[in-house]
Amino acid sequence: MPGEFERIAQIDDPYELLRAATTRLAEAQQEVTELARLRRRLIQDLHAQGMSYAQIAQAAGLSRGRIHQIRHTGPAPEGAFLGNGAVTVVTPLRPDPASDRTYVALDDLTTGKRLEDLARTFDLSVGYDHVGLNGEIDLNRPGLLVICGPRMSPAMREAYEKDPVLEWERDDVGWLLRDKQTGKEFRSGQEEEPQRPYDIGYLGRLPRPDGNGSILAIAGIHPEGSLGVVHFLTSDISSLWGKVADSRFSAIVGTEYDPRTHEPLRTELLTPVYRHDEAA
């Protein structure tokens, strides 16, 4: 914008000017990406409502060829399922029993990296953060993709408690997820006798503590469940976007995995994708 450019151009300190110009350029590039995503989404929505591309072009004052070009180029609309512009992948820190250091477990690192890769395919900028050893994490920020269950963070436990449909519980056997609509319980195959390579994961968009936005929450009963959720997202994000867009929701994902590598072999929805604004 001219006003913003003029403000930056008037900075006397060359290093401050360089920082300000670099920051503003990154912000502008994100704005361009999200405007292109919004434009493509609008054309798809109008076409799905029954308008032809020729009708859309005429109403918008653009050529039919330009409408077709917009429809097939630029960032995919379903990328907004993860966020807009910039997102932050959050994983928990764990204590190293052999030293005073902390670390991110390899399973969490793998899940976070695959979520990052998915976000980057939609031209989203990706940053990183961690849940502290004490479970503290500032959830009142935009674009958070949090890979953490209720066990490791009181803040996330409180976030999960705001889900009107699904709830986490723990008993003598271990952690489980319960569908409050049906009363059905979902447990990991690792707690069965005999054990089987199957885990349970949570996927949902939950309100921030301050009420000014949402966080995307991912958690498995075991790490294989979290990895399975991201695997499911990678293959089904278009379908999920069509069902819930940017509304709050939650669902339970089952994952069959290779017992040697822990890699997901098959994922499935074990519950409906519940929109919270439609929950009884």
Side-chain angles (χ1 to χ4, degrees), residues 163 165-166 202-205 248-252 271-274 276:
D163 187 323
V165 187
L166 305 176
Y202 177 101
L203 171 64
R205 187 178 291 120
R248 291 169 185 164
F249 77 96
S250 55
I252 296 175
T271 65
V273 177
Y274 288 116
H276 294 174

Side-chain angles (χ1 to χ4, degrees), residues 101-130:
R101 299 179 180 179
T102 60
Y103 72 100
V104 178
L106 179 60
D107 291 324
D108 294 332
L109 193 65
T110 300
T111 302
K113 181 62 170 64
R114 292 187 185 174
L115 190 56
E116 173 202 345
D117 292 343
L118 176 62
R120 291 193 188 281
T121 64
F122 295 110
D123 295 331
L124 293 168
S125 174
V126 183
Y128 304 93
D129 198 2
H130 301 292

Side-chain angles (χ1 to χ4, degrees), residues 118-177:
L118 176 62
R120 291 193 188 281
T121 64
F122 295 110
D123 295 331
L124 293 168
S125 174
V126 183
Y128 304 93
D129 198 2
H130 301 292
V131 177
L133 290 180
N134 57 2
E136 290 185 358
I137 177 68
D138 178 12
L139 298 177
N140 293 323
R141 294 174 286 165
L144 291 184
L145 312 178
V146 185
I147 304 168
C148 182
R151 179 178 67 86
M152 300 192 69
S153 170
M156 285 305 298
R157 188 181 310 127
E158 292 178 8
Y160 286 118
E161 288 172 354
K162 295 177 182 177
D163 187 323
V165 187
L166 305 176
E167 63 181 349
W168 289 89
E169 291 186 10
R170 188 175 187 178
D171 58 18
D172 293 339
V173 177
W175 284 94
L176 62 95
L177 277 162

Side-chain angles (χ1 to χ4, degrees), residues 38 40-51 56 241:
L38 177 61
R40 184 174 173 183
R41 173 186 171 186
L42 286 171
I43 291 173
Q44 290 184 357
D45 289 346
L46 290 170
H47 186 61
Q49 293 168 16
M51 292 185 69
I56 297 171
W241 171 252

